[in-house]
């Protein structure tokens, strides 16, 4: 192990005030063994941080050799050495010569920066030294004294730049300095200031111009430890920087129409370099989460996903985020998203970004999903090149769907988009019926003319912007675009003054750059159905009002639920939940609170209103035994997110507390087909449905039936089915007994309700003669015991009456019961449908109430030791 080299720490103490030293510098002082400090230039309060054992030396009384000798001796003896300078060590600190002397003795310098007096002086003056439109440069310099200035660094040369000038170590030459500045051509009224001992208790400030400051300096009696500042920025006002101008766009605040994206983004990274890039993008986006397969992801605030589970997580995220950004090779993104793509009107945006950020590629949902705009915005953040391949963008022609997306309008018949954009590109004649502000987008397109619908010529294409036609009424070769594309969700206190709600509504629209014409309807809770303020609002703007019962609102997962609303009316959301229900879409603008009023906005999806939602999804989940301890976090999260819960009533009983308020699809035994069909129908209306099963959903449960119905019934063909595993009864029972399934096992259902009895018998026949234990599910009901008794007899005959076996009743539940014995002792009368039977094999052992199987380690390893 190598010994670390000796070190001397050069620390900037700042301009004076003891609390302007950095935390790193203060910490080093608290641990120092030797401190050499810059005499009276350093606030003595800094030295109170040092331990009592620390040696303190004043550098004002030492020459360079003495300082280097003292620091070297201490550092070479393993001491923590600090050289404490005023301000920042790099400004007139004479540290270069000290560093050279230490280097000759093998000592490494470590520099800790400090706050320079120029910035303390600016703070004392309350000025910005780089004022927009006046001065964007700052020159730090000094006048010549005993140390001459290098050639070219004259006062006159610096004055001609127009930059703000800061002069160190120049108070002795203040009068001459002002004369030189005037001779260099600076106007007499150029502002000047002197700040003496900035941030010290005795700080003094002189303000004037270069015509007056020489006399002011002489009269002040200030001889040293002062900074002179000169420049128009010291007295500038009126101009504003671009940085915070609402009309100025950059990667972190972008108002350019072609680069706006305000949705929720999931960013996926697969390397440490990719994680760093993902972190940069997430910081610039409004709502972004990072996902990675790297264990180092936690350092970047990312959710870490095992590699084998990535596809499953992506599928779960697909509808939860409006955009998905992949960091790495574009081919990775293409392969991963291919199974999830459905339709460009509903698919989220997908962008691929190289690890270096040099290229951003829009892969899917470029226009309606906003991938092209997101791609351009990300390119502005990384400084890379946006790669957008859609034909209209390539030719620089605004497409109709991109224009609608940018203006947050809704396309009523999206099937016509392709035909109308093709007509736009091939030069076919198109009549555009639209407001002048919209028509201006295509003023340079010779094949587009504007006019009312009555001006339409035979075989001419038509775009109607602002249409209220129903999609089914739409003529051929026509694209309908409706500006009324949002539902306003409203919640308010009882007897809210109508004027207050009206004012809040107008302010809400202005904040988000919308007009009242873009609101299609208003939605609220049934408790507010007769609220005068809401009724006045819809009457004033001619809007329909949708009212929902609390039971329906309670089942909607919203971005920002409220504990206050929950406490007052028993549901977590009114404005957001009502907007989601009425729109058939998702929240675009989360709730905004005013005094006693809450407003939210949800976008209506593209397409006919009757089919506004894309097909939903069924997540089939396993509850294990039903005990909360046996429900995985992934299943719990799915239950929380879903709109509707479906399942056998007895299984839903296990989780009623967790899903309180959610709509239910439930029935009893023999109702499986009806239950699954109803769940699929709900999903086809756009609902997120959770189908709950005991144990694992793929073992003698509903997963297979749902897939079968989807395969055989065309109306359900597009429903997504996602299966989340649960702890099956075999695992629960085995863990209660010990390890009886150590070497593998057969799992057989003895129920012949859904499969022929002879099939069950064939399964048993093949199983009894193997060496594997067997787990028998559904062993017996009140009227069905013959197969259980036959199974016990067959195993007894094949494996012998001394074969160990067990019965576990209510496995994993509080009322769990166990019996362990041999097949000769097997109590058939103790078995019911809540029981699981485990039949051992030749390796099964018993010790007290424990069953386990020998794994083979004894023979292979332990006997050799």
């Amino acid at each position: 192990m190598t010994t670390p080299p000796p070190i001397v720490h050069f620390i900037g103490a700042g301009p004076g005030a003891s609390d302007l030293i950095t935390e790193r510098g203060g910490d080093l002082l608290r641990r120092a063994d030797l401190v050499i400090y810059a005499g009276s230039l350093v606030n003595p309060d800094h030295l109170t941080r040092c331990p009592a054992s620390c040696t303190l030396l004043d550098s004002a009384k030492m020459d360079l050799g003495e300082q280097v000798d003292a620091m070297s001796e201490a550092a070479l003896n393993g001491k923590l050495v600090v050289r404490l300078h005023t301000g920042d060590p790099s400004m007139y600190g004479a540290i270069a010569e000290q560093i050279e002397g230490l280097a000759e003795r093998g000592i490494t310098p470590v520099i800790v920066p400090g706050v320079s007096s120029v910035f303390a002086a600016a703070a004392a003056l309350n000025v910005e030294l780089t004022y927009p439109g006046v001065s964007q440069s700052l020159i730090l310099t000094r006048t010549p004294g005993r140390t001459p200035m290098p050639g070219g660094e004259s006062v006159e040369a610096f004055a001609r730049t127009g930059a703000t000038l800061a002069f160190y170590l120049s108070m002795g030459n203040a009068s001459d300095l002002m004369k030189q500045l005037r001779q260099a051509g600076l106007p007499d009224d150029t502002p000047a200031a002197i700040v003496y001992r900035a941030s010290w208790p005795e700080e003094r400030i002189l303000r004037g111009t270069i015509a007056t400051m020489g006399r002011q300096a002489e009269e002040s009696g200030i001889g040293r430890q002062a900074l002179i500042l000169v420049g128009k920025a010291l007295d500038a006002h009126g101009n504003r920087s671009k940085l915070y101008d609402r009309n100025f766009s950059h990667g972190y605040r972008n108002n350019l129409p072609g680069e706006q994206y305000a949705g929720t983004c999931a960013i996926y990274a697969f390397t440490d370099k990719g994680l760093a890039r993902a972190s940069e993008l997430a910081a610039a986006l409004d709502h972004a989460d990072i996902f990675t397969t790297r264990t180092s992801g936690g350092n970047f605030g990312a959710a870490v996903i095992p590699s084998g589970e990535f596809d499953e997580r992506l599928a779960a995220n697909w509808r939860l985020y409006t955009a998905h950004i992949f960091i790495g090779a574009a081919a990775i993104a293409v392969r991963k998203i291919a199974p999830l793509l459905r339709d460009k009107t509903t698919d989220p945006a997908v962008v691929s970004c190289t690890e270096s950020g040099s290229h951003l590629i829009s892969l899917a949902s470029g226009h309606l999903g906003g991938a092209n705009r997101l791609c351009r915005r990300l390119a502005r953040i990384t400084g890379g090149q946006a790669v957008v391949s859609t034909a209209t963008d390539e030719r620089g022609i605004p497409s109709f769907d991109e224009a609608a997306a940018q203006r947050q309008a809704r396309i009523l018949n999206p099937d016509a988009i392709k035909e109308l954009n093709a007509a736009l590109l091939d030069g076919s004649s198109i009549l555009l019926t639209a407001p002048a502000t919209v028509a201006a987008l295509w003023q340079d397109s010779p094949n587009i003319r504007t006019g009312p619908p009555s001006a339409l010529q035979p075989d001419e294409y038509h775009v109607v912007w602002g249409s209220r036609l129903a999609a089914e009424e739409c003529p051929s070769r026509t694209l309908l675009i409706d500006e009324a594309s949002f539902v306003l969700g409203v919640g308010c206190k009882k007897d809210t003054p109508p004027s207050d709600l009206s004012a809040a509504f107008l302010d809400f629209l202005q904040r988000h750059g919308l007009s009242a014409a873009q609101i299609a309807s208003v939605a609220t809770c049934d408790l507010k159905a007769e609220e005068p303020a809401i009724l006045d609002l819809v009457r004033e703007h001619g809007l329909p009002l949708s009212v929902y019962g609390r039971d329906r609102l309670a089942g909607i997962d919203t971005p920002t639920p409220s504990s206050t609303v929950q406490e007052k009316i028993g549901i977590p959301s009114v404005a957001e939940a009502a907007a989601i229900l009425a729109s058939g879409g998702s929240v675009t603008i989360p709730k905004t609170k005013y005094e006693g009023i809450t407003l939210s906005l949800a976008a209506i999806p593209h397409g006919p209103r009757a089919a506004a939602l894309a097909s939903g999804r069924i997540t089939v989940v396993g509850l294990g035994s039903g005990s909360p301890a046996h429900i995985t976090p992934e299943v719990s999260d799915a239950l929380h997110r879903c709109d509707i819960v479906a399942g056998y009533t007895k299984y839903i009983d296990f989780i009623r507390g967790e899903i309180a308020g959610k709509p239910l699809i439930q029935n009893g035994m023999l109702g499986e087909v009806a239950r699954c069909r109803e769940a699929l129908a709900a999903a086809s209306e756009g609902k997120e449905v959770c189908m709950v099963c005991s144990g694992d959903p793929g073992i003698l449960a509903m997963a297979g039936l749902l897939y079968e119905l989807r395969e055989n019934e065309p109306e359900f063909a597009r429903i997504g089915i996602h299966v989340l595993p649960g702890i099956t009864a075999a695992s629960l029972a085995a863990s209660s007994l010990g390890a009886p399934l150590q070497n593998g096992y057969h799992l057989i259902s003895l129920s012949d309700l859904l499969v022929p009895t002879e099939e069950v018998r064939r399964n048993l026949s093949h199983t009894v003669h193997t060496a594997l234990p067997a787990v028998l599910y559904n062993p017996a009901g009140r009227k069905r015991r013959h197969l259980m008794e036959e199974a016990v007899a067959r195993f007894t005959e094949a494996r012998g009456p001394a074969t160990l076996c067990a019965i576990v009743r209510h496995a994993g539940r509080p009322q769990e019961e166990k019996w362990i014995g041999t097949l000769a002792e097997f109590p058939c009368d103790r078995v019911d449908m809540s029981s699981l039977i485990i039949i051992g094999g030749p390796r099964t052992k018993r010790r007290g109430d424990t069953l386990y199987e020998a794994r083979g380690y004894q023979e292979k390893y332990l006997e050799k030791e």
Side-chain angles (χ1 to χ4, degrees):
M1 182 174 172
T2 59
T3 303
I7 290 173
V8 169
H9 299 272
F10 289 82
I11 296 176
S18 62
D19 57 354
L20 287 181
I21 194 171
T22 64
E23 289 190 14
R24 185 183 299 177
D27 177 65
L28 287 167
L29 285 176
R30 282 186 282 272
R31 297 186 287 117
D33 299 306
L34 169 66
V35 174
I36 299 180
Y37 63 96
S40 61
L41 299 178
V42 170
N43 190 328
D45 288 347
H46 288 306
L47 304 179
T48 63
R49 294 183 170 90
C50 302
S53 59
C54 179
T55 300
L56 303 175
L57 299 178
D58 184 348
S59 64
K61 302 174 183 178
M62 306 169 70
D63 61 28
L64 175 63
E66 290 171 332
Q67 293 176 43
V68 172
D69 286 344
M71 290 187 288
S72 299
E73 181 181 356
L76 291 169
N77 285 310
K79 304 291 187 182
L80 195 158
V81 181
V82 168
R83 178 64 168 96
L84 188 61
H85 283 263
T86 185
D88 183 275
S90 64
M91 285 297 297
Y92 305 115
I95 63 171
E97 56 200 38
Q98 299 175 60
I99 290 172
E100 288 173 4
L102 293 169
E104 291 173 359
R105 307 185 191 195
I107 298 170
T108 301
V110 173
I111 300 174
V112 179
V115 178
S116 175
S117 58
V118 68
F119 304 119
L125 293 167
N126 291 320
V127 298
E128 181 179 346
L129 300 177
T130 52
Y131 196 85
V134 176
S135 174
Q136 289 292 285
S137 301
L138 171 64
I139 294 175
L140 308 181
T141 185
R142 57 185 288 266
T143 55
R146 285 186 291 179
T147 302
M149 294 294 288
E153 293 188 19
S154 67
V155 170
E156 292 80 6
F158 291 142
R160 285 192 289 269
T161 67
T164 303
L165 307 177
F167 294 93
Y168 288 73
L169 309 171
S170 301
M171 273 305 292
N173 302 323
S175 289
D176 290 341
L177 172 61
M178 296 304 139
K179 290 177 185 177
Q180 289 176 282
L181 292 170
R182 294 168 71 188
Q183 291 169 357
L186 289 186
D188 285 357
D189 62 354
T190 301
I194 294 175
V195 182
Y196 169 70
R197 288 175 75 86
S199 82
W200 291 72
E202 58 268 38
E203 173 185 281
R204 289 177 60 191
I205 296 174
L206 303 179
R207 295 178 185 268
T209 66
I210 60 173
T212 66
M213 190 52 68
R215 176 177 48 81
Q216 289 175 259
E218 290 176 356
E219 294 174 353
S220 70
I222 299 173
R224 55 196 297 271
Q225 297 187 34
L227 192 81
I228 302 172
L229 293 166
V230 175
K232 294 179 181 179
L234 301 183
D235 192 31
H237 52 81
N239 290 353
R240 295 185 178 181
S241 73
K242 294 291 186 182
L243 180 59
Y244 301 113
D245 187 331
R246 68 181 302 169
N247 296 316
F248 182 70
S249 295
H250 51 72
Y252 293 85
R253 191 187 69 251
N254 199 324
N255 293 315
L256 296 175
E259 297 180 18
Q260 285 187 8
Y261 194 87
T264 56
C265 301
I267 308 177
Y268 306 99
F270 309 97
T271 65
D272 287 342
K273 188 175 179 181
L275 274 169
R277 181 65 60 192
S279 180
E280 175 194 26
L281 298 181
L285 296 169
D286 296 326
H287 308 285
D289 296 318
I290 303 173
F291 299 86
T292 184
T293 53
R294 303 286 292 180
T295 55
S296 55
N299 300 329
F300 296 87
V304 178
I305 311 162
S307 296
E309 299 175 14
F310 179 82
D311 291 352
E312 188 176 341
R313 175 57 72 91
L314 176 62
N317 284 351
W318 191 245
R319 290 188 63 204
L320 296 179
Y321 293 87
T322 59
H324 299 267
I325 303 166
F326 289 80
I327 311 296
I332 296 174
V334 171
R335 285 195 295 269
K336 295 300 182 184
I337 69 173
L340 303 170
L341 293 171
R342 294 291 181 269
D343 187 275
K344 70 178 182 179
T345 64
T346 58
D347 287 334
V350 181
V351 172
S352 174
C353 173
T354 58
E355 286 186 344
S356 66
S358 61
H359 290 86
L360 293 300
I361 306 171
S362 174
L363 292 179
S365 202
H367 289 159
L368 293 181
N372 292 356
R373 278 172 279 125
L374 177 60
C375 187
R376 296 187 190 102
R377 179 170 183 183
L378 297 178
R380 187 177 288 273
I381 295 166
T382 67
Q385 176 67 46
V387 181
V388 174
S389 59
T390 42
T392 50
D393 293 85
E394 191 175 2
R395 293 201 205 173
I397 303 173
S399 70
F400 295 118
D401 49 344
E402 173 65 12
Q406 286 189 20
R407 283 158 177 74
Q408 301 182 87
R410 184 168 72 95
I411 296 178
L412 303 181
N413 57 333
D415 289 344
I417 292 173
K418 182 177 180 180
E419 184 178 11
L420 266 293
N421 279 342
L424 179 66
L425 291 170
D426 66 21
S428 298
S429 179
I430 302 172
L431 175 67
L432 175 62
T433 301
T437 53
V438 174
L441 293 172
W442 293 280
Q443 61 185 0
D444 297 326
S445 299
N447 59 318
I448 292 183
R449 65 190 189 92
T450 60
S454 58
L456 186 67
Q457 300 295 320
D459 297 326
E460 190 174 31
Y461 291 92
H462 193 193
V463 176
V464 184
W465 193 293
S467 171
R468 293 298 175 93
L469 283 174
E472 56 270 17
E473 301 170 6
C474 176
S476 61
R477 303 164 71 93
T478 299
L479 181 66
L480 302 179
I481 302 173
D482 187 358
E483 288 190 321
S485 55
F486 295 99
V487 172
L488 178 75
V490 179
C492 64
K493 288 183 179 179
K494 185 177 180 181
D495 297 326
T496 293
S499 60
D500 288 1
L501 180 56
S502 179
F505 172 62
L506 294 176
D507 178 76
F508 181 76
L509 294 177
Q510 185 178 14
R511 284 191 192 188
H512 301 291
L514 299 171
S515 69
Q518 291 176 272
I519 307 302
S521 67
V522 176
T524 190
C525 175
D526 57 0
L527 292 176
K528 300 298 175 183
E530 302 300 325
E531 189 66 42
I534 296 178
L535 295 177
D536 267 26
L537 182 70
V538 298
R539 192 181 302 116
E540 178 184 357
H541 295 279
L543 297 171
L545 176 65
S546 300
V547 176
Y548 297 96
R550 280 171 290 174
D551 56 338
R552 291 196 68 189
L553 295 174
I556 301 299
D557 192 16
T558 60
T560 53
S562 168
S563 57
T564 302
V565 176
Q566 178 75 55
E567 181 181 340
K568 288 186 175 179
I569 64 174
I571 58 175
S573 172
V574 171
E576 288 182 341
I580 290 171
L581 276 173
S583 68
S586 57
V587 167
T588 301
I589 299 174
K591 66 184 181 186
T592 301
K593 290 186 176 182
Y594 297 86
E595 185 64 37
I597 297 168
T598 302
L599 302 178
S600 180
L601 214 60
I604 304 169
H606 301 283
R609 189 61 181 276
L613 270 176
S615 293
R617 184 176 70 164
I618 295 181
T619 302
V620 199
V621 304
L623 302 180
S625 69
S627 166
H630 295 151
I631 297 175
T632 67
E634 192 175 28
V635 168
S636 183
D637 183 56
L639 290 169
H640 173 71
R641 288 198 323 265
C642 72
D643 301 318
I644 298 173
V645 178
Y648 174 38
T649 299
K650 183 177 178 182
Y651 300 152
I652 285 181
D653 286 342
F654 295 143
I655 55 169
R656 287 194 189 274
E658 186 171 354
I659 60 171
K662 286 188 183 288
L664 301 175
I665 298 170
Q666 59 181 325
N667 58 15
M669 292 292 290
L670 306 181
E672 292 88 346
V673 173
R675 186 191 317 145
C676 288
R677 279 205 177 105
E678 191 174 349
L680 287 163
S684 69
E685 295 174 1
K687 303 297 183 185
E688 280 277 351
V689 182
C690 256
M691 173 67 75
V692 299
C693 310
S694 69
D696 182 277
I699 299 176
L700 304 172
M702 295 295 100
L705 176 56
L706 285 164
Y707 282 112
E708 187 177 358
L709 289 171
R710 186 179 70 173
E711 183 72 16
N712 296 328
E713 302 186 16
E715 65 268 33
F716 301 140
R718 293 185 61 189
I719 303 301
I721 299 175
H722 181 52
V723 180
L724 298 181
I727 304 175
T728 186
S731 299
L732 291 165
S735 63
S736 175
L737 295 167
L741 308 179
Q742 174 85 351
N743 294 308
Y745 63 99
H746 292 282
L747 191 158
I748 301 173
S749 171
L750 295 184
S751 172
D752 57 357
L753 292 175
L754 298 175
V755 296
T757 303
E758 287 307 309
E759 184 176 327
V760 178
R761 287 190 171 121
R762 283 198 302 274
N763 291 336
L764 283 170
S765 296
H766 291 294
T767 300
V768 296
H769 296 292
T770 71
L772 289 175
V775 181
L776 307 182
Y777 278 54
N778 305 319
R782 287 191 300 271
K783 299 179 181 179
R784 184 181 52 78
R785 308 186 68 81
H786 61 289
L787 283 173
M788 185 250 323
E789 294 168 353
E790 184 177 329
V792 172
R794 287 185 177 218
F795 279 104
T796 302
E797 179 181 356
R799 299 188 179 185
T803 300
L804 291 166
C805 56
I807 302 169
V808 181
R809 191 167 180 268
H810 296 299
R813 294 173 186 153
Q815 66 270 41
E816 180 182 275
E817 300 172 5
K818 295 182 289 187
W819 173 88
I820 300 174
T822 65
L823 285 173
E825 304 164 335
F826 191 87
C828 288
D829 58 341
R830 294 184 59 172
V831 177
D832 61 15
M833 280 295 288
S834 298
S835 302
L836 198 77
I837 299 172
I838 294 180
I839 310 291
R843 290 179 174 271
T844 305
K845 310 289 184 183
R846 178 179 183 179
R847 181 175 291 275
D849 290 331
T850 298
L851 287 182
Y852 69 97
E853 275 198 295
R855 183 76 174 96
Y857 296 111
Q858 180 76 27
E859 296 89 342
K860 189 168 185 179
Y861 300 108
L862 299 183
E863 290 181 353
K864 297 178 181 179
E865 296 179 356

